[in-house]
Amino acid sequence: MTDLNQRSASGFGTIGFIGLGAMGSRMIRHLKDASGLLLYDIDGARTRQLAAELSAEGVAARAASGLADFASVDVLILMLPDSAVVDAVFRGAEQSAEPASGGLLACLRPGTLVIDMGSSTPGHTVDNQVAARARGVSFIDAPVSGGVGGAQAASLAIMVGASEAEFERARPLLQCLGSKVIRAGDVGSGHAVKALNNLLGATILAASAEVFAIGEKFGLDPAVMHSIVDASSGGSFMSNRVWPKAILPQSWDFGFALALMNKDVTIAMSLIESTGIQTVLAQANAKIWADAALRAAPGADMSDIARQFRVRAGL
């Protein structure tokens, strides 16, 4: 774990950041001491507002007018929704192994370090690295865990897929954004372990939601049941963090979208399929989350899966 006071982005030149949603808009604020920040989001108004806010604080930040502006950056962080968007932005509409016109890769200078911090499909990540290497650009993956709260507090867990040399190059910058930065292996490994971790977390949340609905239907007080489970063998991150914040008070707002959890479960299932391993629990869990996503309201939090179990139980 790194002392917050020792974190600095000042040695990385101009840093580009694409994707200023709930996570990216918070993460970028921890890079204020960079020599320059170049921001871009599909929402131009959001980009200009964030650049103006940072500039008012004395940060050398500006909004990019298009992807070509990123030819000036030394490091580029991508915080985009999924591999389809990453591929389109990075390699252009053709998404081929060769740089396509209109994509970032056609604009970046050799030696630029690109860090994909979203939740992408590992195979696509490897393809992007191959295309980048042909242009003299470094491409690594560094997905995160910890949600909006972790992004706000710079306490994210960051799992990195990179060579040892590229990991050491990126680590000081990543330590500005997270409290735990771990090299998972070569490129693609970060996205693989992120998907598998969220598959495990999703399975635990779904199982606990089902078990708590059963207990409440029997007549147990959910708060009392929680105090026992959380201190016993059934305890987990979900019981320790998600239940008290979002489920017991029935606010259904932990800060991580159900659609995003379903996306990560889907990525994990594609990874499992590529290994040829036959699963039972993972397949059942994937169906639970896919069905929950269909039932959920737009923008629903992942904790909504517990609400859905309660509804089905007649609670």
Side-chain angles (χ1 to χ4, degrees):
M1 190 174 292
T2 304
D3 187 335
L4 283 169
N5 295 323
Q6 296 178 344
R7 301 179 184 184
S8 174
S10 59
F12 286 86
T14 300
I15 299 173
F17 203 109
I18 299 179
L20 303 171
M23 296 291 288
S25 62
R26 290 166 171 82
M27 293 164 66
I28 195 68
R29 296 181 183 279
H30 303 300
L31 304 176
K32 291 180 179 180
D33 61 348
S35 300
L37 292 176
L38 183 61
L39 314 182
Y40 185 81
D41 190 271
I42 193 170
D43 184 337
R46 176 188 295 166
T47 307
R48 292 187 292 272
Q49 178 181 351
L50 184 54
E53 290 174 2
L54 290 170
S55 296
E57 298 174 21
V59 180
R62 64 188 179 92
S65 59
L67 298 183
D69 288 357
F70 288 92
S72 64
V73 304
D74 301 287
V75 180
L76 175 59
I77 295 174
L78 306 177
M79 196 63 186
L80 297 169
D82 53 41
S83 278
V85 177
V86 172
D87 294 350
V89 169
F90 187 63
R91 284 189 278 149
E94 293 178 19
Q95 300 177 29
S96 65
E98 295 298 323
S101 61
L104 273 169
L105 191 50
C107 308
L108 299 177
R109 298 176 299 182
T112 305
L113 173 63
V114 180
I115 310 175
D116 181 0
M117 299 193 73
S119 295
S120 299
T121 304
H124 287 239
T125 302
V126 173
D127 289 343
N128 284 330
Q129 184 227 14
V130 171
R133 184 188 295 159
R135 295 273 296 190
V137 171
S138 294
F139 188 100
I140 68 174
D141 51 310
V144 305
S145 181
V148 170
Q152 183 81 38
S155 61
L156 294 167
I158 304 177
M159 47 219 86
V160 186
S163 67
E164 291 189 11
E166 288 175 325
F167 174 68
E168 290 303 326
R169 179 184 175 188
R171 178 160 58 173
L173 178 60
L174 296 176
Q175 286 174 333
C176 297
L177 304 172
S179 58
K180 197 160 193 175
V181 179
I182 303 171
R183 178 175 178 261
D186 292 332
V187 171
S189 299
H191 282 143
V193 74
K194 165 67 184 291
L196 292 172
N197 173 73
N198 275 14
L199 172 64
L200 181 58
T203 305
I204 293 169
L205 180 55
S208 61
E210 187 172 58
V211 165
F212 270 74
I214 294 167
E216 188 175 356
K217 189 72 173 181
F218 176 79
L220 295 174
D221 183 325
V224 173
M225 186 177 177
H226 172 263
S227 67
I228 294 169
V229 168
D230 193 44
S232 304
S233 59
S236 65
F237 172 89
M238 296 300 175
S239 67
N240 184 256
R241 300 280 294 278
V242 179
W243 281 86
K245 180 178 180 181
I247 299 177
L248 290 177
Q250 297 187 14
S251 65
W252 317 117
D253 185 17
F254 180 71
F256 190 73
L258 191 152
L260 291 179
M261 182 63 92
N262 183 52
K263 180 194 73 172
D264 287 346
V265 168
T266 302
I267 292 173
M269 294 308 295
S270 70
L271 177 61
I272 291 170
E273 183 179 354
S274 73
T275 68
I277 294 175
Q278 298 297 311
T279 63
V280 176
L281 185 57
Q283 288 185 22
N285 179 66
K287 185 176 187 308
I288 288 170
W289 281 92
D291 290 345
L294 291 175
R295 294 191 186 97
D301 187 78
M302 70 174 184
S303 58
D304 188 69
I305 197 165
R307 184 195 64 80
Q308 292 187 28
F309 271 108
R310 293 185 78 255
V311 170
R312 289 202 295 274
L315 297 168

